[in-house]
């Protein structure tokens, strides 16, 4: 009987250790800032260029840079948004600060682009852009 309990205890500890290792591999839950980034999109400015990026809940995004459209995929990992796009095949991750919301502008560092300025668009900005696009059609 004692052997059975010892075996069960060892099995339980091994299962917990395996689960802990698996949990470390999984992405950390995204910070609140990234909720607003995905919901409202961003305007990223770097090296004199401006990119407008809209994120979809399915892990894809579309953007525009100097009148040219691009697209890609993204994933959220804690404070980082990691993306692969038609502009750059390798994944790039940018760490976002906590506590940002729609309308906030802040500086961040992109491994591919260096210093970037990010503005999280507001719902009002998105409505105005949509109306302007419809008026242009």
């Amino acid at each position: 009987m004692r052997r059975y309990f010892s075996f069960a205890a060892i099995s339980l500890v091994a299962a917990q250790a395996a689960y802990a290792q698996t949990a470390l591999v999984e992405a950390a839950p995204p910070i609140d800032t990234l909720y607003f980034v995905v919901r409202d999109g961003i305007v990223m400015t770097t090296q004199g260029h401006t990119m407008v990026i809209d994120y979809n809940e399915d892990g894809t995004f579309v953007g525009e840079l100097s009148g040219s459209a691009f697209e890609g995929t993204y994933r959220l990992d804690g404070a980082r948004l990691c993306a692969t796009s038609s502009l750059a095949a390798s994944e790039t991750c940018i760490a976002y600060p906590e506590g940002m919301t729609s309308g906030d502008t802040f500086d961040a560092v992109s491994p591919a682009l260096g210093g970037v300025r990010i503005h999280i668009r507001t719902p009002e900005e998105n409505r105005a852009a949509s109306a302007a696009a419809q008026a242009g059609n």
Side-chain angles (χ1 to χ4, degrees):
M1 183 80 152
R2 194 178 288 203
R3 285 186 189 169
Y4 173 75
F5 285 121
S6 295
F7 178 73
I10 290 169
S11 296
L12 179 61
V13 169
Q16 288 174 336
Y19 174 77
Q21 287 178 346
T22 301
L24 291 176
V25 173
E26 294 176 7
I31 63 172
D32 290 345
T33 299
L34 293 177
Y35 165 78
F36 295 103
V37 166
V38 170
R39 185 188 78 178
D40 298 325
I42 64 168
V43 176
M44 181 184 293
T45 306
T46 183
Q47 303 172 10
H49 299 283
T50 300
M51 291 179 265
V52 178
I53 304 172
D54 292 305
Y55 297 94
N56 302 307
E57 290 183 16
D58 68 357
T60 63
F61 68 89
V62 294
E64 182 181 324
L65 170 64
S66 301
S68 296
F70 62 93
E71 59 187 22
T73 60
Y74 74 92
R75 65 183 177 85
L76 305 177
D77 182 10
R80 300 180 328 148
L81 186 147
C82 301
T84 304
S85 76
S86 55
L87 298 176
S90 62
E91 183 178 70
T92 300
C93 298
I94 296 177
Y96 283 72
E98 289 196 53
M100 298 293 141
T101 187
S102 300
D104 287 343
T105 301
F106 51 91
D107 294 324
V109 176
S110 164
L113 301 171
V116 296
R117 175 148 293 195
I118 296 173
H119 171 73
I120 303 174
R121 294 193 322 256
T122 65
E124 293 79 18
E125 290 171 319
N126 288 330
R127 282 192 291 277
S130 179
Q134 288 178 354
N137 289 335

